[in-house]
Amino acid sequence: MLFYIHVPFCRARCAYCSFYSLATGHRALPEGYVPGLLRDIAWLGKRHGNDTAGPVTSIFFGGGTPSLLEPGDMECILAGIARAFPVAEQCEITMEANPESLQDRTRVQGFRAAGINRLSMGVQTMTDDGLKTLGRIHTVSQALQAADNVHAAGFASFGLDLMWGLPGQSCGDWCQVLENACSLAPHHISAYSLTVEEGTRLAEAVEKGRLVLPDEDELARMFLEGHASLAAHGFEHYEISNFARSGHRCRHNLGYWQGEDYLGAGPGAVSTWQHVRISEPCDLKLWLDTEPEERPREREELDVATVREERIMLSLRTARGLDVTAADMDQGESFLAQHRAYIEALLRAGLARIDEEDGRTFFALTPEGMLASNEIVARFF
């Protein structure tokens, strides 16, 4: 089982961000937030603690900027989860962080001592001009210092979040960003294509022509040459946007892609539990002021067809691909036979492959196929 904690606070909102988060500046975080989390975690434990198929194998602090919390807060929250649920001895415990919040080495060491063993740092790009375009408040120099502090603290795994396809960026620029990022000695790199979300400052700048995005051909080169560059540095491309050194895949995200149940706590957090998806309100005051058993939530029952479509969509994001043998057992019909003509066309075009592993069959997209994954997956539905 996976557990997610949403920390919806940032010093400032980035120009591209559409997630639920609140800009705090340099003000202290609301005093009721951590007690509210402990209240909700205890409630989730009473509701689901006896329903788990096994212990919690991954705890993920996402945001927002979880590193705005204090190490003592992290220790308190982790203790609350351990009281409510069985936690695996080798549980992966990830904290997302921004470089500007990791400048104090003693504080970074405090996070490690609190129990965080995997740190994912949102660098996004490795040029100060690019950071300004994205509305980030840290500098490249701060990213370098933060990486030094993380390594000195001895985290078991260290990841970087990066973005490609920035306004004015070329393929050569992106490959240089990757070279500079690899100099920080990360174990994991998440490389996301910049998405211009409606209603953001970035979207307004693009619409008004103040910023120009790379064209489709340049984006394709960035994806494929970025893949090759990271492979040359010893990273395995195990999901469309994720690369890892051996032994450093993100267990939490793998659980999402493989359809594991997960529980979420915090305003804006989402849980998917036994084919029901439940979303906490994106409203800090409402979340703080209501008891968890009385709080209004969005609730979506996932029928068999929806579960199947999500399994196909998420599996085809991964390099391993869709376990066709398992899919056939669930559906009572052959996936490969059902889509034979289309799959053969994908294989001929070099966009997909079929692998045999331990008596099971997997259908997967190649890197070229991943470029068109949305269109390819839509055809299966």
Side-chain angles (χ1 to χ4, degrees):
M1 189 192 84
L2 316 175
F3 207 99
Y4 175 78
I5 300 291
H6 191 60
V7 185
F9 309 109
C10 290
R11 291 300 183 209
R13 282 185 65 83
C14 299
Y16 56 86
C17 184
S18 62
F19 292 115
Y20 174 62
S21 64
L22 304 169
T24 65
H26 291 283
R27 299 187 304 275
L29 302 188
E31 290 184 5
Y33 172 73
V34 172
L37 279 179
L38 296 175
R39 171 198 61 188
D40 279 27
I41 290 166
W43 178 75
L44 287 168
K46 290 176 183 177
R47 282 177 60 89
H48 302 296
N50 294 325
D51 299 339
T52 59
V56 176
T57 58
S58 173
I59 300 169
F60 195 104
F61 291 86
T65 309
S67 50
L68 293 181
L69 293 173
E70 294 301 320
D73 295 330
M74 292 293 184
E75 189 172 7
C76 187
I77 295 165
L78 291 173
I81 295 173
R83 286 193 298 270
F85 298 92
V87 176
E89 185 177 348
Q90 300 299 318
C91 183
E92 175 190 86
I93 304 175
T94 302
M95 179 183 74
E96 291 185 332
N98 284 339
E100 71 276 3
S101 64
L102 300 176
Q103 298 302 296
D104 183 334
R105 180 165 294 194
T106 300
R107 191 164 180 274
V108 176
Q109 291 169 338
F111 286 125
R112 180 67 192 94
I116 306 298
N117 53 38
R118 182 176 183 275
L119 192 141
S120 180
M121 188 165 73
V123 174
Q124 310 312 349
T125 192
M126 295 293 291
T127 70
D128 285 331
D129 286 344
L131 291 170
K132 289 177 183 177
T133 297
L134 294 174
R136 303 291 288 180
I137 62 173
H138 71 271
T139 63
V140 172
S141 176
Q142 286 178 314
L144 299 177
Q145 181 61 59
D148 283 345
N149 292 343
V150 171
H151 286 301
F155 288 86
S157 196
F158 171 46
L160 300 178
D161 283 0
L162 300 171
M163 285 187 173
W164 53 277
L166 275 58
Q169 189 178 53
S170 69
C171 182
D173 295 334
W174 168 235
C175 288
Q176 187 59 56
V177 167
L178 290 175
E179 286 293 322
N180 294 342
C182 286
S183 72
L184 303 185
H187 304 102
H188 187 281
I189 289 180
S190 295
Y192 300 105
S193 172
L194 175 64
T195 301
V196 180
E197 299 284 358
E198 185 178 351
T200 62
R201 300 199 311 275
L202 181 65
E204 180 184 2
V206 171
E207 289 167 5
K208 293 184 175 180
R210 296 198 300 268
L211 295 174
V212 178
L213 298 171
D215 62 30
E216 291 297 321
D217 289 342
E218 192 72 3
L219 290 173
R221 284 192 290 271
M222 287 185 193
F223 181 82
L224 294 174
E225 293 192 25
H227 165 91
S229 174
L230 288 173
H233 280 281
F235 287 88
E236 175 196 10
H237 191 185
Y238 73 101
E239 192 268 348
I240 286 180
S241 302
N242 287 275
F243 304 77
R245 297 194 185 278
S246 179
H248 290 279
R249 293 180 178 186
C250 178
R251 188 185 305 165
H252 196 88
N253 286 343
L254 279 170
Y256 286 161
W257 301 324
Q258 293 167 357
E260 289 187 37
D261 280 345
Y262 59 92
L263 293 174
V270 176
S271 302
T272 297
W273 190 261
Q274 298 179 354
H275 297 174
V276 180
R277 183 163 296 137
I278 302 170
S279 302
E280 293 288 336
C282 294
D283 184 326
L284 177 64
K285 187 177 188 305
L286 174 62
W287 180 82
L288 287 172
D289 291 347
T290 53
E291 293 298 319
E293 61 270 19
E294 300 171 353
R295 188 178 305 136
R297 298 177 176 86
E298 292 185 9
R299 180 184 175 92
E300 178 187 6
E301 301 277 349
L302 304 178
D303 58 25
V304 172
T306 300
V307 172
R308 180 173 183 268
E309 289 180 2
E310 288 192 358
R311 176 186 296 180
I312 293 171
M313 177 185 69
L314 294 173
S315 295
L316 291 182
R317 289 186 61 89
T318 67
R320 188 180 190 224
L322 175 67
D323 184 341
V324 178
T325 307
D328 292 350
M329 291 172 62
D330 287 349
Q331 300 300 317
E333 58 183 334
S334 169
F335 177 87
L336 296 180
Q338 183 183 4
H339 302 284
R340 183 179 303 280
Y342 183 45
I343 288 173
E344 288 179 350
L346 293 173
L347 295 173
R348 287 194 301 272
L351 300 177
R353 67 178 195 279
I354 294 176
D355 301 323
E356 301 291 336
E357 180 183 320
D358 298 328
R360 307 184 79 82
T361 302
F362 292 87
F363 172 72
L365 301 182
T366 62
E368 290 78 8
M370 287 180 176
L371 266 173
S373 63
N374 289 342
E375 294 83 355
I376 291 172
V377 168
R379 285 283 297 273
F380 287 114
F381 302 151

